[in-house]
Amino acid sequence: MNRTLVRLLQAPSIILLLLWMIIPLSMTIYFSTIRYNLLYPERSGFIGLDNYRFFWTDPSFFPALTNTLVLVGSVLLITVVLGLAISILIDRPFKGRGIARVMLISPFFIMPTVSALVWKNMLMDPNNGLFAAFANALGMQPIEWLQDMPLFSIIIMVSWQWTPFAILIFMTSLQSQDKEQQEAATLDGAGFWSQFYNLTLPHLARPISIVILIQMIFHLAVFAEIFVTTSGGPGVQSTNLTYLIYIQSQQAFDVGVASAGGVFAIILANIVAIFLIRAVGKTLTV
Amino acid sequence: MTDKQAEILKNRIAVFFAWIAALLFFFPIFWMVLTSFKSEAQAIAIPPLLFFEPTLENYTEIQARTNYSQFAINSVITSFGGTLIALLIAIPSAYAMAFNPTRYTKDILMWMLSTKMLPAVGVLMPIYLISQKLGMLDSKIVLVVIYAMMNLPIVMLILFNYFREIPKEILEASRMDGTSTFNEIKDIVMPLAWGGIASTALLSIILCWNEAFWSIVLTTTEASTLTAFVASFQAPEGLFWAKVSAVSTLACAPIVVFGWLAQKQLVQGLTFGAVK
């Protein structure tokens, strides 16, 4: 195969991705520096960093940033800890293991809007939901989940979907763990925690970091769960950055401010992406 | 109690908790499917009903009274269309990169992956306004293009990894016989990498099918996919739990089954090849 042909075959993917990246990105950056509101088309012109200042000083900005970080951090903690525990529990032969595995990873394949509705209505609804029924049966006051602890409710929903992801990855990695080494350690009298700390955790170090990085990329962008359940409320209690930018663009029609927010989100995601790409790059052999 | 017995007991306890976890995680799905066979009154009954006379009424109602099948078709078109385009672009490229790597190949692949990290909300306004200018808001074509580009980096990376496993000698032998590049891809690479291509396609379809941001933002009625259709039930007037459950069950069933079938291959795709 000659060089021209090699280049010709590679060209479409490279050119298309380049366009897909450059065009919207440069437009976002451009919009972020001009006055551009769909409701007031007569106002226009370059305004430097005013959109950024507007986005930055919006009273919703700081809560949204905090919510984003709390959401990402909590979900990571829950999914990694639960994922580790469950994948270790299931990493042994037993009857029906295949079925247990399938049950454990299924939530990951449920579409986010469905999972949000199932949790919002059938489980968390304070009148007819299942949790309320349990609370009533125990003689307690049902919790108004989405009203009283909206962000925590979203954290539960997202964790329910993503713990299976962690389980799936950890389970696969555990299969390649040296079982003889573990048996030897057991014979030497090493207890569970000592084995976990000295053998399992080092073996899972890479998968854990990959799971954390990939989840960060996705959780910075949580949208559907908020859109379907709380619409960011009450107030801005469950608004994250993604949802705040969505509101700016689709309800305030402020292209300029939404774009400034978009640039902010891109920078935030890229900080994570650099680490992730490095981690992936280490395993890629050319 | 001997060590052996202690070991067995520990194992039993672990298995017990594994089942508890499995039941808890699966429960919301089970409850959704169960609710889809209840009447609306039974669905909101207090206390919740575990045993009842199942009805198929919800399933017939949503077929008759909503555009369920239109949304399902839209989901099929956009996720299969996006996947097909991504594959058509990626197969020749990944093939060329895998068999003729240069010192830039790795950087190119890493750069491709970095485009995947671009948050959707960061390019929301440009994509929205471009679609509007082209008169393509609420159009399946826009979604197909977005889904194709969204998944292209992952598809490239996985296919590259698969193609690299094909021994170069096989290709060299066929080249001696004067096979053209097109035939080489079609007759040798494709059959050998078939499993890889199929599981890549499966992952891409799953990701497209469950995509919610663009389908909610860019569609209203005509091009709405199932994710957007389900999202429309968030309004209080849409509080028909049994019907929502039936819609949700139908919308999720094929993908959950896909996921089960492809779970092993998915790990590689979901971690961009970093965990095998």
Side-chain angles (χ1 to χ4, degrees), chain B residues 64-84:
Chain B
R65 293 219 281 185
T66 69
N67 288 334
Y68 171 80
S69 35
Q70 185 207 327
F71 300 119
I73 291 169
N74 288 347
S75 271
V76 170
I77 291 175
T78 51
S79 46
F80 282 74
T83 299
L84 189 69

Side-chain angles (χ1 to χ4, degrees), chain A residues 1 5 9 13 24 28 92 101-102 106 109 111 113 117 120-121 128 130 160 172 206 214 249 277 281 285, chain B residues 11 25 27 44 48 93 100 106 114 122 124-126 164 181 209-210 227 230 234 241 260 263 267 270 274:
Chain A
M1 196 156 61
L5 187 59
L9 290 176
S13 66
T28 297
R92 65 197 76 234
R101 266 173 66 135
V102 158
S106 295
F109 302 113
M111 50 177 71
T113 47
L117 274 184
K120 176 192 179 188
N121 291 340
N128 305 85
L130 207 55
W160 177 69
T172 310
R206 252 188 74 70
I214 290 176
S249 68
I277 286 171
T285 44
Chain B
N11 241 321
F25 269 90
F27 182 78
I44 55 167
S93 293
N100 301 276
K106 186 171 174 172
S114 77
L124 166 61
M125 280 335 298
R164 265 186 42 80
T181 305
W209 190 273
N210 287 348
T227 42
V230 171
Q234 55 148 330
W241 291 9
W260 291 345
Q263 40 174 308
V267 172
L270 288 168

Side-chain angles (χ1 to χ4, degrees), chain A residues 22-43:
Chain A
I22 297 282
I23 296 176
L25 197 60
S26 44
M27 283 172 79
T28 297
I29 293 172
Y30 169 66
F31 289 157
S32 75
T33 62
I34 58 169
R35 209 185 298 265
Y36 189 178
N37 189 316
L38 296 176
L39 295 180
Y40 309 100
E42 71 282 0
R43 299 182 195 166

Side-chain angles (χ1 to χ4, degrees), chain B residues 5 18 21 50 56 104 125-126 128 161 209 226 230 243 259 264:
Chain B
Q5 281 171 320
L50 192 56
L56 283 174
Y104 302 115
M125 280 335 298
Y128 185 85
N161 275 328
W209 190 273
L226 287 171
V230 171
K243 276 175 207 67
K264 287 212 182 87

